[in-house]
C-alpha cells in the first residue's frame, strides 16, 4: 500500500477496494482486471484508489495478506486449546479452514497462490511460506519440537501440498469435496510425521 488509512473513512475506502477486487477475481481472470474496473466496482473515484494503491498488483497482495491473516488468527485461537495429539491438531487446522469457507463463500476460492506466484511475490517470501512458518511455530511450541531446517521444510511442503489439494477441493463436485479434504489431511500428516514424532 502507498499509505495506511488513519481515519474511518479511509479504512472504509480500502475495505471497499479489497472487497471489489476479491469479487472481480472470483469472476474474472487476473489479466482482465484493471484499476479502473476495481475503482468502479468499489464505487470510488480512481483518484481515491491511487491514494492507497499504486496498481492492481498491490491490491491483490493486500487482499491475499488479509485473507491469510484472517485464517492465521483463527488458527492461533484454535491452538489455545489444541489437543495433545499433533495429528488431531492437523485435523483441527483443516477444520478451521473448512469452517471459514462455509461461513464465507469467497474464502479460499480466489487462487491467491497462482496469482502471487505468477505476478507478485518472490518465492522466498510468498504467502504460503508465511503460513508454513506461523503454523510451524504453533506446532513447535505446543508439542515441544525444535525448529531446524528440516522442520521448516516439512511444514512448507505440507502447506504447499495441502494448499494445492484444497484448491482441487474447490473445483470438484461438492459430493467429492470431503474425500479431497481427507486426502489433504492424510498427505499433510505424512509429511509432518518425521518432524513431529517423538523418538
Amino acid at each position: 500500500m502507498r499509505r495506511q488509512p488513519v481515519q474511518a473513512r479511509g479504512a472504509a475506502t480500502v475495505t471497499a477496494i479489497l472487497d471489489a477486487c476479491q469479487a472481480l477475481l472470483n469472476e474474472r481472470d487476473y489479466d482482465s482486471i484493471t484499476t479502473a474496473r476495481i475503482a468502479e466496482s468499489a464505487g470510488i473515484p480512481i483518484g481515491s484508489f491511487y491514494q492507497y494503491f499504486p496498481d492492481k498488483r498491490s491490491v491483490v497482495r493486500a487482499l491475499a495478506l488479509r485473507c491469510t491473516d484472517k485464517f492465521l488468527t483463527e488458527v492461533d485461537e484454535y491452538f489455545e486449546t489444541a489437543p495433545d495429539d499433533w495429528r488431531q491438531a492437523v485435523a483441527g487446522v483443516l477444520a478451521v479452514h473448512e469452517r471459514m469457507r462455509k461461513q464465507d463463500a469467497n474464502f479460499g476460492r480466489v487462487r491467491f497462490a497462482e496469482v502471487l506466484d505468477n505476478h507478485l511475490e518472490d518465492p522466498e517470501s510468498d504467502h504460503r511460506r508465511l503460513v508454513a512458518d506461523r503454523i510451524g511455530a504453533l506446532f513447535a511450541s505446543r508439542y515441544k519440537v525444535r525448529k531446524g531446517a528440516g522442520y521448516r521444510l516439512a511444514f512448507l511442503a505440507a502447506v504447499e501440498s495441502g494448499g494445492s489439494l484444497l484448491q482441487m477441493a474447490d473445483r470438484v463436485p461438492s459430493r467429492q469435496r470431503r474425500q479431497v479434504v481427507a486426502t489433504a489431511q492424510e498427505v499433510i500428516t505424512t509429511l509432518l510425521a518425521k518432524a513431529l514424532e517423538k523418538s
Side-chain angles (χ1 to χ4, degrees):
M1 292 181 64
R2 277 195 163 129
R3 66 186 180 92
Q4 295 289 333
V6 294
Q7 296 180 342
R9 183 176 179 181
T13 298
V14 170
T15 298
I17 291 169
L18 295 179
D19 290 345
C21 183
Q22 180 168 357
L24 288 169
L25 283 170
N26 286 338
E27 300 168 358
R28 302 170 181 269
D29 180 75
Y30 172 86
D31 292 324
S32 71
I33 298 172
T34 64
T35 55
R37 190 180 295 275
I38 295 172
E40 180 183 4
S41 296
I44 61 169
I46 190 67
S48 296
F49 175 96
Y50 285 118
Q51 284 182 6
Y52 296 101
F53 297 98
D55 50 34
K56 68 176 181 180
R57 292 183 177 189
S58 60
V59 180
V60 176
R61 178 176 296 168
L63 185 56
L65 291 174
R66 182 178 75 167
C67 183
T68 299
D69 188 60
K70 182 178 179 181
F71 171 65
L72 290 175
T73 298
E74 294 281 344
V75 173
D76 283 340
E77 293 176 1
Y78 168 77
F79 263 84
E80 292 176 3
T81 56
D84 293 334
D85 187 337
W86 66 266
R87 294 175 186 81
Q88 293 179 16
V90 169
V93 172
L94 283 171
V96 169
H97 180 278
E98 291 301 282
R99 174 172 53 79
M100 291 180 68
R101 186 186 178 280
K102 189 172 293 187
Q103 292 172 348
D104 180 356
N106 289 323
F107 177 79
R109 291 190 176 183
V110 176
R111 304 293 184 251
F112 289 124
E114 294 172 10
V115 173
L116 292 172
D117 290 347
N118 292 337
H119 297 279
L120 300 176
E121 294 282 8
D122 183 282
E124 292 300 316
S125 60
D126 67 15
H127 84 289
R128 282 189 173 175
R129 188 174 296 273
L130 169 66
V131 172
D133 287 345
R134 284 275 298 275
I135 295 180
L138 289 170
F139 272 84
S141 176
R142 175 65 180 83
Y143 301 106
K144 312 301 182 188
V145 180
R146 293 184 60 184
K147 296 187 297 179
Y151 180 91
R152 291 186 174 90
L153 182 59
F155 270 85
L156 181 57
V159 169
E160 290 281 357
S161 303
S164 295
L165 283 166
L166 291 175
Q167 288 181 2
M168 176 184 172
D170 285 336
R171 296 192 297 268
V172 300
S174 58
R175 67 181 182 279
Q176 296 177 349
R177 180 176 181 86
R178 183 176 297 181
Q179 180 181 352
V180 177
V181 173
T183 300
Q185 180 177 333
E186 182 179 345
V187 168
I188 291 169
T189 301
T190 299
L191 289 169
L192 296 182
K194 186 174 181 180
L196 289 169
E197 283 289 356
K198 299 287 178 66
S199 57

Short mmCIF file of all heavy atoms in Angstrom, two decimals, residues 127-160:
data_model
loop_
_atom_site.label_atom_id
_atom_site.label_comp_id
_atom_site.label_asym_id
_atom_site.label_seq_id
_atom_site.Cartn_x
_atom_site.Cartn_y
_atom_site.Cartn_z
N HIS A 127 3.21 -16.07 0.35
CA HIS A 127 2.31 -16.18 1.50
C HIS A 127 2.23 -17.60 2.04
O HIS A 127 1.96 -17.80 3.22
CB HIS A 127 0.92 -15.65 1.14
CG HIS A 127 0.03 -16.64 0.46
ND1 HIS A 127 0.23 -17.06 -0.82
CD2 HIS A 127 -1.07 -17.29 0.91
CE1 HIS A 127 -0.72 -17.92 -1.13
NE2 HIS A 127 -1.51 -18.08 -0.12
N ARG A 128 2.50 -18.60 1.22
CA ARG A 128 2.48 -19.97 1.75
C ARG A 128 3.65 -20.19 2.70
O ARG A 128 3.53 -20.93 3.68
CB ARG A 128 2.50 -20.98 0.60
CG ARG A 128 1.13 -21.12 -0.04
CD ARG A 128 1.09 -22.27 -1.01
NE ARG A 128 -0.26 -22.47 -1.49
CZ ARG A 128 -0.58 -23.35 -2.43
NH1 ARG A 128 0.36 -24.09 -3.00
NH2 ARG A 128 -1.83 -23.50 -2.82
N ARG A 129 4.78 -19.55 2.43
CA ARG A 129 5.90 -19.64 3.38
C ARG A 129 5.52 -18.97 4.70
O ARG A 129 5.87 -19.46 5.77
CB ARG A 129 7.15 -18.99 2.77
CG ARG A 129 8.41 -19.21 3.59
CD ARG A 129 9.62 -18.66 2.86
NE ARG A 129 9.86 -19.38 1.62
CZ ARG A 129 10.57 -20.49 1.54
NH1 ARG A 129 11.10 -21.04 2.62
NH2 ARG A 129 10.76 -21.09 0.37
N LEU A 130 4.80 -17.87 4.61
CA LEU A 130 4.32 -17.21 5.82
C LEU A 130 3.42 -18.12 6.61
O LEU A 130 3.56 -18.27 7.84
CB LEU A 130 3.57 -15.92 5.45
CG LEU A 130 2.78 -15.22 6.56
CD1 LEU A 130 3.73 -14.70 7.63
CD2 LEU A 130 1.95 -14.09 5.99
N VAL A 131 2.48 -18.77 5.94
CA VAL A 131 1.57 -19.71 6.61
C VAL A 131 2.36 -20.85 7.23
O VAL A 131 2.12 -21.24 8.38
CB VAL A 131 0.52 -20.24 5.61
CG1 VAL A 131 -0.30 -21.36 6.25
CG2 VAL A 131 -0.40 -19.12 5.15
N ALA A 132 3.30 -21.41 6.48
CA ALA A 132 4.10 -22.54 6.99
C ALA A 132 4.89 -22.14 8.23
O ALA A 132 4.95 -22.89 9.22
CB ALA A 132 5.04 -23.04 5.90
N ASP A 133 5.49 -20.95 8.22
CA ASP A 133 6.28 -20.51 9.36
C ASP A 133 5.42 -20.27 10.59
O ASP A 133 5.78 -20.66 11.70
CB ASP A 133 7.05 -19.23 9.00
CG ASP A 133 8.21 -19.48 8.05
OD1 ASP A 133 8.60 -20.66 7.90
OD2 ASP A 133 8.72 -18.50 7.47
N ARG A 134 4.26 -19.64 10.39
CA ARG A 134 3.39 -19.33 11.52
C ARG A 134 2.80 -20.60 12.13
O ARG A 134 2.80 -20.78 13.36
CB ARG A 134 2.26 -18.39 11.07
CG ARG A 134 2.66 -16.94 10.87
CD ARG A 134 2.62 -16.15 12.16
NE ARG A 134 1.28 -16.10 12.72
CZ ARG A 134 0.35 -15.21 12.36
NH1 ARG A 134 0.62 -14.31 11.44
NH2 ARG A 134 -0.84 -15.23 12.92
N ILE A 135 2.29 -21.48 11.29
CA ILE A 135 1.68 -22.71 11.81
C ILE A 135 2.76 -23.63 12.37
O ILE A 135 2.57 -24.28 13.40
CB ILE A 135 0.84 -23.41 10.72
CG1 ILE A 135 -0.35 -22.53 10.35
CG2 ILE A 135 0.37 -24.78 11.20
CD1 ILE A 135 -1.25 -23.11 9.29
N GLY A 136 3.92 -23.67 11.71
CA GLY A 136 5.02 -24.47 12.23
C GLY A 136 5.44 -24.02 13.61
O GLY A 136 5.75 -24.85 14.49
N ALA A 137 5.45 -22.71 13.84
CA ALA A 137 5.81 -22.18 15.16
C ALA A 137 4.79 -22.61 16.21
O ALA A 137 5.15 -22.93 17.36
CB ALA A 137 5.92 -20.67 15.10
N LEU A 138 3.52 -22.63 15.85
CA LEU A 138 2.48 -23.06 16.79
C LEU A 138 2.65 -24.52 17.16
O LEU A 138 2.54 -24.89 18.34
CB LEU A 138 1.10 -22.82 16.17
CG LEU A 138 0.65 -21.37 16.04
CD1 LEU A 138 -0.62 -21.28 15.20
CD2 LEU A 138 0.41 -20.75 17.42
N PHE A 139 2.91 -25.36 16.17
CA PHE A 139 3.12 -26.79 16.45
C PHE A 139 4.37 -27.00 17.29
O PHE A 139 4.39 -27.81 18.22
CB PHE A 139 3.22 -27.57 15.14
CG PHE A 139 1.91 -28.04 14.59
CD1 PHE A 139 1.13 -27.20 13.81
CD2 PHE A 139 1.43 -29.32 14.86
CE1 PHE A 139 -0.09 -27.61 13.30
CE2 PHE A 139 0.21 -29.74 14.36
CZ PHE A 139 -0.56 -28.89 13.58
N ALA A 140 5.45 -26.28 16.98
CA ALA A 140 6.71 -26.43 17.72
C ALA A 140 6.51 -26.06 19.19
O ALA A 140 7.02 -26.74 20.09
CB ALA A 140 7.80 -25.58 17.09
N SER A 141 5.78 -24.97 19.43
CA SER A 141 5.55 -24.54 20.80
C SER A 141 4.64 -25.51 21.56
O SER A 141 4.93 -25.86 22.71
CB SER A 141 4.92 -23.14 20.78
OG SER A 141 4.61 -22.71 22.08
N ARG A 142 3.59 -25.95 20.90
CA ARG A 142 2.62 -26.82 21.58
C ARG A 142 3.18 -28.21 21.83
O ARG A 142 2.92 -28.81 22.89
CB ARG A 142 1.34 -26.93 20.72
CG ARG A 142 0.29 -27.90 21.26
CD ARG A 142 -0.26 -27.42 22.59
NE ARG A 142 -1.25 -28.33 23.13
CZ ARG A 142 -0.96 -29.42 23.83
NH1 ARG A 142 0.31 -29.74 24.09
NH2 ARG A 142 -1.93 -30.20 24.29
N TYR A 143 3.99 -28.73 20.91
CA TYR A 143 4.45 -30.11 21.02
C TYR A 143 5.93 -30.22 21.31
O TYR A 143 6.52 -31.30 21.17
CB TYR A 143 4.05 -30.87 19.75
CG TYR A 143 2.56 -30.85 19.54
CD1 TYR A 143 1.99 -30.06 18.54
CD2 TYR A 143 1.71 -31.56 20.39
CE1 TYR A 143 0.61 -30.00 18.39
CE2 TYR A 143 0.34 -31.50 20.24
CZ TYR A 143 -0.21 -30.72 19.25
OH TYR A 143 -1.57 -30.65 19.10
N LYS A 144 6.55 -29.10 21.73
CA LYS A 144 7.92 -29.08 22.23
C LYS A 144 8.91 -29.70 21.23
O LYS A 144 9.66 -30.63 21.55
CB LYS A 144 8.02 -29.81 23.57
CG LYS A 144 6.96 -29.42 24.58
CD LYS A 144 7.01 -27.94 24.92
CE LYS A 144 5.97 -27.59 25.97
NZ LYS A 144 5.85 -26.13 26.18
N VAL A 145 8.91 -29.16 20.03
CA VAL A 145 9.78 -29.66 18.97
C VAL A 145 10.72 -28.55 18.53
O VAL A 145 10.31 -27.38 18.42
CB VAL A 145 8.94 -30.14 17.75
CG1 VAL A 145 9.85 -30.67 16.65
CG2 VAL A 145 7.95 -31.21 18.18
N ARG A 146 11.96 -28.87 18.26
CA ARG A 146 12.93 -27.88 17.79
C ARG A 146 12.70 -27.60 16.30
O ARG A 146 12.46 -28.51 15.51
CB ARG A 146 14.35 -28.38 18.01
CG ARG A 146 14.75 -28.50 19.47
CD ARG A 146 16.20 -28.91 19.62
NE ARG A 146 17.09 -27.92 19.00
CZ ARG A 146 18.41 -28.06 18.92
NH1 ARG A 146 18.98 -29.18 19.38
NH2 ARG A 146 19.14 -27.13 18.36
N LYS A 147 12.83 -26.33 15.92
CA LYS A 147 12.57 -25.93 14.54
C LYS A 147 13.88 -25.80 13.76
O LYS A 147 14.44 -24.71 13.64
CB LYS A 147 11.83 -24.58 14.51
CG LYS A 147 10.46 -24.61 15.12
CD LYS A 147 9.75 -23.29 14.88
CE LYS A 147 10.46 -22.13 15.54
NZ LYS A 147 9.80 -20.84 15.28
N GLY A 148 14.37 -26.92 13.25
CA GLY A 148 15.53 -26.89 12.38
C GLY A 148 15.12 -26.68 10.93
O GLY A 148 13.94 -26.50 10.61
N ALA A 149 16.11 -26.74 10.03
CA ALA A 149 15.83 -26.54 8.60
C ALA A 149 14.90 -27.62 8.08
O ALA A 149 14.00 -27.34 7.28
CB ALA A 149 17.15 -26.54 7.82
N GLY A 150 15.09 -28.87 8.53
CA GLY A 150 14.23 -29.96 8.09
C GLY A 150 12.80 -29.78 8.56
O GLY A 150 11.85 -30.11 7.84
N TYR A 151 12.65 -29.24 9.77
CA TYR A 151 11.31 -28.99 10.31
C TYR A 151 10.59 -27.95 9.45
O TYR A 151 9.44 -28.14 9.06
CB TYR A 151 11.46 -28.50 11.75
CG TYR A 151 10.15 -28.19 12.45
CD1 TYR A 151 9.50 -29.17 13.19
CD2 TYR A 151 9.59 -26.91 12.38
CE1 TYR A 151 8.30 -28.89 13.84
CE2 TYR A 151 8.40 -26.63 13.02
CZ TYR A 151 7.76 -27.61 13.75
OH TYR A 151 6.59 -27.33 14.38
N ARG A 152 11.27 -26.86 9.15
CA ARG A 152 10.65 -25.80 8.35
C ARG A 152 10.30 -26.30 6.95
O ARG A 152 9.25 -25.96 6.40
CB ARG A 152 11.58 -24.60 8.27
CG ARG A 152 11.75 -23.88 9.60
CD ARG A 152 12.58 -22.61 9.44
NE ARG A 152 12.64 -21.84 10.67
CZ ARG A 152 13.56 -22.01 11.61
NH1 ARG A 152 14.51 -22.93 11.45
NH2 ARG A 152 13.55 -21.27 12.71
N LEU A 153 11.18 -27.10 6.38
CA LEU A 153 10.92 -27.65 5.04
C LEU A 153 9.71 -28.56 5.06
O LEU A 153 8.89 -28.55 4.13
CB LEU A 153 12.15 -28.40 4.53
CG LEU A 153 12.03 -28.99 3.12
CD1 LEU A 153 11.77 -27.88 2.10
CD2 LEU A 153 13.29 -29.76 2.75
N ALA A 154 9.56 -29.35 6.11
CA ALA A 154 8.41 -30.26 6.22
C ALA A 154 7.11 -29.47 6.25
O ALA A 154 6.13 -29.83 5.59
CB ALA A 154 8.54 -31.12 7.47
N PHE A 155 7.09 -28.37 7.00
CA PHE A 155 5.86 -27.57 7.06
C PHE A 155 5.59 -26.85 5.75
O PHE A 155 4.42 -26.72 5.34
CB PHE A 155 5.91 -26.60 8.24
CG PHE A 155 5.35 -27.18 9.50
CD1 PHE A 155 6.14 -27.95 10.34
CD2 PHE A 155 4.01 -26.99 9.82
CE1 PHE A 155 5.61 -28.52 11.49
CE2 PHE A 155 3.48 -27.56 10.97
CZ PHE A 155 4.28 -28.33 11.81
N LEU A 156 6.65 -26.39 5.08
CA LEU A 156 6.43 -25.74 3.80
C LEU A 156 5.88 -26.74 2.79
O LEU A 156 4.95 -26.43 2.03
CB LEU A 156 7.74 -25.13 3.28
CG LEU A 156 7.64 -24.39 1.94
CD1 LEU A 156 6.61 -23.27 2.01
CD2 LEU A 156 9.00 -23.84 1.55
N ALA A 157 6.44 -27.95 2.78
CA ALA A 157 5.93 -28.99 1.88
C ALA A 157 4.49 -29.34 2.20
O ALA A 157 3.66 -29.55 1.31
CB ALA A 157 6.82 -30.24 1.98
N ALA A 158 4.15 -29.38 3.49
CA ALA A 158 2.78 -29.70 3.90
C ALA A 158 1.81 -28.61 3.46
O ALA A 158 0.71 -28.91 2.97
CB ALA A 158 2.73 -29.89 5.42
N VAL A 159 2.21 -27.35 3.62
CA VAL A 159 1.33 -26.25 3.23
C VAL A 159 1.19 -26.19 1.71
O VAL A 159 0.09 -25.96 1.19
CB VAL A 159 1.88 -24.91 3.79
CG1 VAL A 159 1.14 -23.73 3.19
CG2 VAL A 159 1.73 -24.89 5.31
N GLU A 160 2.29 -26.40 1.00
CA GLU A 160 2.22 -26.39 -0.47
C GLU A 160 1.30 -27.51 -0.97
O GLU A 160 0.42 -27.28 -1.81
CB GLU A 160 3.63 -26.57 -1.06
CG GLU A 160 4.55 -25.38 -0.89
CD GLU A 160 4.27 -24.27 -1.90
OE1 GLU A 160 3.39 -24.46 -2.76
OE2 GLU A 160 4.92 -23.22 -1.80
#
